Amino acid sequence: MSQAGKLLTRLEKEDLRILMAIEIGMKKSEYVTIKDIKFYSRYPLPETLYRLKNVHKLGLTIRNSEEREVAYQINSIGYDVLALHTLVEKKIISQLGPLLGKGKESDVYSCIDDDDVIYALKIYRMGRRSFKNVRKLRNITGERTHLSWLYINRLAAKKEYNALKEIYKLGLKTPKPIGYNRHIIVMEYLRGKEIVYYKDIEKPEELFNEILFQMREIYKKSNLVHGDLGEFNIISDEDGNILIIDWLQSIPSDHPNALKILERDIQNICNYFHKKYRIEYNLKDILDSFTE
Ligand SMILES: Nc1ncnc2c1ncn2[C@@H]1O[C@H](COP(=O)(O)OP(=O)(O)O)[C@@H](O)[C@H]1O
Ligand SMILES: [Mg+2]
């Protein structure tokens, strides 16, 4: 289980309130002074200091003592704790399970709700390894001087959640969105693996056509282009059910680059099925079927 998941059970509500006070302060500045933490938490100074010591000892904050005033920020585990806590409070999940996969810019865990239904829980961790997408999101937010990783990851989760909502409501094959908070989204779980990890697929032609069909429907009806489509972002179970995942880089189909990016997505899929299963295709015909 994640470190945050384990820590969550050891925290008292006062600890969480201190973390939230730091979170609020971080909207304004990278580090939050004790005076501000006290203000946002509305605790008296002794309680503020006691709780700060607590959360810091548990490894949920980063202290900056270089300036005149000592100040804190929450670290990524602290942020996980806050989001997981809210998801539990809202009864979206009840328990976190093992890690399912580590992506380029996220960790994906399994989790369950009160009825023991299993979901996938994706935690955004951008800024750690990937800067490409951080730049892209920056374009959306405009040039703010103080743009914390907190905000970037929250924005990423919201973007992906909204894309899932748009696509899923049309009955197309993306995980059903269950809920989100801060930088975490909870979605339908498919017991399977990325198609790249199947040594052999019984009817590759059927799968190939199904993927193209889904892409086309999504393009035409949800007006979205995936933007990062390939054999790593399509999961399949043993029965051949598929889900197209990882919608962070999706763009609207009326975006000036949409066609170019759509073509790249299609080309990725075609290349993969051609190389691995010798499936022949006509790129122009496929492209035409999207835009006709
Ligand atoms: N809904 C899901 N059901 C099952 N496994 C999932 C689901 N979503 C993600 N995963 C697993 O987690 C991995 C990373 O997820 P992904 O959304 O592709 O993140 P990244 O943007 O970091 O690549 C996937 O490759 C897959 O193994
Ligand atoms: Mg991925």
Side-chain angles (χ1 to χ4, degrees):
M1 210 220 286
S2 81
Q3 215 174 335
K6 275 183 234 150
L7 281 172
L8 191 53
T9 55
R10 292 174 49 193
L11 290 172
E12 294 174 314
K13 67 176 194 310
E14 291 82 2
D15 298 320
L16 290 160
R17 185 145 145 189
I18 281 292
L19 289 177
M20 281 182 238
I22 304 176
E23 181 189 30
I24 295 170
M26 284 175 73
K27 284 185 188 154
K28 258 186 9 206
S29 59
E30 219 181 325
Y31 285 90
V32 191
T33 60
I34 293 176
K35 196 172 106 242
D36 280 356
I37 298 171
K38 174 181 173 297
F39 176 79
Y40 291 128
S41 68
R42 302 213 190 92
Y43 283 145
L45 188 62
E47 177 82 21
T48 304
L49 292 173
Y50 173 74
R51 293 297 162 184
L52 263 177
K53 202 174 95 191
N54 232 0
V55 293
H56 192 67
K57 219 165 53 195
L58 288 170
L60 304 172
T61 51
I62 301 169
R63 177 167 38 204
N64 182 0
S65 37
E66 278 167 25
E67 303 294 320
R68 202 162 41 86
E69 269 182 278
V70 178
Y72 290 83
Q73 65 171 209
I74 47 178
N75 64 17
S76 69
I77 304 170
Y79 201 43
D80 293 355
V81 161
L82 286 179
L84 289 172
H85 170 75
T86 305
L87 289 167
V88 171
E89 286 275 286
K90 287 187 177 168
K91 298 206 172 297
I92 292 169
I93 65 166
S94 67
Q95 218 180 306
L96 203 59
L99 191 72
L100 291 175
K102 244 183 175 7
K104 290 190 297 284
E105 45 216 353
S106 73
D107 296 335
V108 179
Y109 289 87
S110 63
C111 66
I112 51 171
D113 67 5
D114 280 338
D115 300 321
D116 285 341
V117 181
I118 302 179
Y119 297 108
L121 180 145
K122 179 170 181 175
I123 308 184
Y124 267 101
R125 303 223 182 278
M126 290 202 309
R128 191 177 56 179
R129 280 164 294 193
S130 155
F131 288 96
K132 197 174 96 219
N133 285 321
V134 172
R135 260 204 315 276
K136 265 193 209 146
L137 286 169
R138 209 181 281 271
N139 291 340
I140 306 173
T141 60
E143 287 303 321
R144 292 204 197 177
T145 43
H146 168 70
L147 191 59
S148 68
W149 54 269
L150 251 72
Y151 187 59
I152 300 267
N153 285 298
R154 207 174 67 207
L155 213 62
K158 188 171 176 199
K159 182 178 172 189
E160 179 159 17
Y161 191 81
N162 285 339
L164 293 182
K165 233 170 54 186
E166 285 306 308
I167 301 163
Y168 187 79
K169 78 175 182 213
L170 296 167
L172 297 166
K173 297 208 168 142
T174 203
K176 178 181 185 184
I178 304 297
Y180 80 98
N181 185 262
R182 296 182 173 82
H183 61 322
I184 298 185
I185 62 182
V186 181
M187 62 189 140
E188 176 186 354
Y189 164 70
L190 183 67
R191 188 186 297 277
K193 54 190 177 193
E194 295 88 324
I195 58 171
V196 65
Y197 296 123
Y198 283 93
K199 280 213 189 69
D200 206 8
I201 289 171
E202 243 173 67
K203 297 171 183 153
E205 186 113 29
E206 254 177 42
L207 179 60
F208 177 64
N209 288 329
E210 167 74 357
I211 293 168
L212 287 179
F213 172 80
Q214 290 294 324
M215 288 174 75
R216 195 183 300 119
E217 292 288 298
I218 290 167
Y219 180 73
K220 288 187 171 173
K221 296 186 178 151
S222 319
N223 299 317
L224 280 174
V225 176
H226 186 286
D228 189 22
L229 201 61
E231 59 276 23
F232 287 96
N233 282 331
I234 300 169
I235 45 181
S236 160
D237 67 8
E238 296 290 343
D239 302 327
N241 298 309
I242 61 159
L243 289 180
I244 302 178
I245 58 166
D246 202 355
W247 290 89
L248 176 65
Q249 305 201 43
S250 58
I251 55 165
S253 54
D254 59 1
H255 186 282
N257 290 335
L259 267 182
K260 211 178 77 197
I261 289 167
L262 174 69
E263 196 175 326
R264 194 183 64 194
D265 279 355
I266 295 174
Q267 185 76 70
N268 283 345
I269 297 298
C270 291
N271 280 349
Y272 179 73
F273 278 88
H274 180 70
K275 266 211 324 249
K276 187 150 176 182
Y277 300 106
R278 298 276 136 222
I279 288 177
E280 299 297 335
Y281 63 92
N282 181 322
L283 190 63
K284 188 174 174 304
D285 286 352
I286 296 174
L287 268 173
D288 287 348
S289 74
F290 275 71
T291 46
E292 71 196 4

